[in-house]
């Protein structure tokens, strides 16, 4: 069941629900009629990766006590229920498995699923002849472009060096990430490819040809899929740099005072693109946190942010009713400083355990999640919650990839 789940989560976000239900039924049946074969102690990192999401979920449940939008809050808990379900299923899997072969099979299934997904999306775009299907959300299909970019980035690192499929997979994944036109995806993928080049050079005194070609493919794909997204980001960054700090601070203080006093003003809207919209969401989140140091509750985040968007005349963020677009801001405005502590105990603890245990695969996974979490609320969609918790648990238990080994080496 872990291998089946790893396979389907790369094909469509909704398929994981069916897989987890089946896995749960089999776990219950196995617990009733089966016999535990092996009660080995789990590694420390696996224990922490299990407790981290569970504690965060109970923090969100606690946030229901001061939320106003109860329906939204209950739906959020439903979406995030796998924060508890997956640790339980993995714990049973670990205790009942007679060997660790299922781990390698699960990693292979994840990689095969990614490969099939890429081929499917490329063939579909070619068959239909629609240029929109070659980039961004058209290419990502049922997934958010940044999410699938993160999956592929991890997949490039996990692909075994011994596999004959490694070169075509890594190069195609890099090209795919470039075409997805996710700026966060570009940043993390390019950094990982650079790390792979340096790591391979240090260990073998040779350059990693696949990673080098993949870096070129990433740049090529980014150029083809960009269509002004990077120009919009640079233009916004330069514009903000040109503004004085006093002006920016004054705007934020004014909006904060109006938010707390329930006063509304209408000025000329500040038209921006996606990068500027993300900055609008972050500034609004900071204003919200200052006004509510204990958070606004599990169901009220977007509603409260929208009030601030109106005050700031943040047209982009208001139009699409943006959430904080950062996992860290999402935790902070939901549960206040408690949410930030719980999230960092989970993510930071996972990364610390990876470093302390020389678990390279887990360390790379944690770095990908930590960085992507800056730019997206990666725990707000099912395709985020299920995949990040699932992979974190899997790679935590794997714990066999040491710094003395090549990245991602798995037998076969």
């Amino acid at each position: 069941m872990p291998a089946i789940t790893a396979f389907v989560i790369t094909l469509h976000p909704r398929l994981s629900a069916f897989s987890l239900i089946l896995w749960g039924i089999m776990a219950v049946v196995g617990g009733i009629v089966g016999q535990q074969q092996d009660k080995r102690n789990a590694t420390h990192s696996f224990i922490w990766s299990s407790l981290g999401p569970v504690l965060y979920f109970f923090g969100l449940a606690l946030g229901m006590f001061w939320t106003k939008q109860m329906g939204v809050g209950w739906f959020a808990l439903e979406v995030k229920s796998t924060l508890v379900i997956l640790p339980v299923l993995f714990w049973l899997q670990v205790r009942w498995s007679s060997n660790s072969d299922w781990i390698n099979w699960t990693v292979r299934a994840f990689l095969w699923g990614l490969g099939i997904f890429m081929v499917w999306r490329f063939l579909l775009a070619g068959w239909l002849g629609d240029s929109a299907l070659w980039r961004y959300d058209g290419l990502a299909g049922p997934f958010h472009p940044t999410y699938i970019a993160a999956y592929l980035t991890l997949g490039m690192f996990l692909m075994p060096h011994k596999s004959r499929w490694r070169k075509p997979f890594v190069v195609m994944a890099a090209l795919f990430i470039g075409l997805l036109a996710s700026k966060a995806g570009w940043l993390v993928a390019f950094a990982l490819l650079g790390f792979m080049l340096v790591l391979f050079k240090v260990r073998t005194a040779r350059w990693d040809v696949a990673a080098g070609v993949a870096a070129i493919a990433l740049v090529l794909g980014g150029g083809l899929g960009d269509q002004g997204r990077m120009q919009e980001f640079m233009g916004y960054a330069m514009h903000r740099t040109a503004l004085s700090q006093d002006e920016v601070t004054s705007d934020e203080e004014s909006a904060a005072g109006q938010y707390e006093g329930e006063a509304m003003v209408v000025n000329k809207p500040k038209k921006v693109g996606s990068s500027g919209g993300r900055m609008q969401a972050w500034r609004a989140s900071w204003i919200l946190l200052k006004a509510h140091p204990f958070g606004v509750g599990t169901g009220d985040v977007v509603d409260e942010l929208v009030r601030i968007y109106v005050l700031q005349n943040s047209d982009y963020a208001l139009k699409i009713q943006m959430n904080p677009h950062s996992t860290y801001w999402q935790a902070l405005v939901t549960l206040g400083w408690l949410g930030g502590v719980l999230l960092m105990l989970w993510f930071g603890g996972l990364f610390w355990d990876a470093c302390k245990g020389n678990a390279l695969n887990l360390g790379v996974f944690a770095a990908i999640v930590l960085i992507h979490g800056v730019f997206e609320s990666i725990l707000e969609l099912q395709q985020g919650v299920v995949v990040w918790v699932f992979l974190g648990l899997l790679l935590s238990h794997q714990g066999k990839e040491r710094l003395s080994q090549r990245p991602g080496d798995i037998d076969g």
Side-chain angles (χ1 to χ4, degrees), residues 13 55 68 86 113 123 129 279 294 329 335 337 363 368 375 381 389 392 394 397 402 404:
L55 290 175
K68 299 175 184 176
L86 274 170
L123 289 178
M279 296 301 108
F294 296 102
W329 278 120
L335 300 174
W337 296 106
I368 290 173
F375 305 103
L381 298 177
V389 177
L394 176 68
H397 181 62
R402 305 302 180 185
S404 59

Side-chain angles (χ1 to χ4, degrees), residues 158-216:
L158 292 179
M159 178 59 70
H161 277 265
K162 298 176 183 179
S163 173
R164 64 179 180 274
W165 297 105
R166 180 174 184 269
K167 291 182 179 179
F169 179 92
V170 172
V171 173
M172 183 166 63
L175 177 63
F176 201 99
I177 294 170
L179 291 170
L180 286 171
S182 164
K183 293 183 285 290
W186 291 343
L187 170 66
V188 179
F190 201 79
L192 178 72
L193 289 172
F195 175 69
M196 291 168 62
L197 281 167
V198 172
L199 188 64
F200 194 81
K201 179 68 173 179
V202 169
R203 290 176 174 175
T204 67
R206 293 183 290 111
W207 291 109
D208 188 345
V209 176
V213 176
I216 298 174

Side-chain angles (χ1 to χ4, degrees), residues 183 229 232-233 236 272-280 316:
K183 293 183 285 290
R229 287 177 60 81
E232 179 267 329
F233 169 74
Y236 177 80
V272 296
S274 61
S275 299
R278 185 172 274 103
M279 296 301 108
Q280 292 174 348
Y316 187 95

Side-chain angles (χ1 to χ4, degrees), residues 327-379:
T327 297
Y328 309 107
W329 278 120
Q330 186 80 40
L332 287 167
V333 298
T334 301
L335 300 174
W337 296 106
L338 172 63
V341 169
L342 289 175
L343 188 67
M344 290 311 299
L345 282 175
W346 174 17
F347 286 174
L350 198 64
F351 187 71
W352 174 256
D353 279 337
C355 294
K356 186 168 61 175
N358 289 335
L360 189 57
N361 287 351
L362 178 61
V364 168
F365 164 78
I368 290 173
V369 171
L370 284 168
I371 298 173
H372 271 285
V374 174
F375 305 103
E376 292 289 345
S377 297
I378 59 176
L379 296 176

Side-chain angles (χ1 to χ4, degrees), residues 208-235:
D208 188 345
V209 176
V213 176
I216 298 174
L218 176 62
V219 174
L220 177 61
L224 294 173
D226 179 67
Q227 293 190 8
R229 287 177 60 81
M230 184 56 69
Q231 183 180 3
E232 179 267 329
F233 169 74
M234 295 301 296

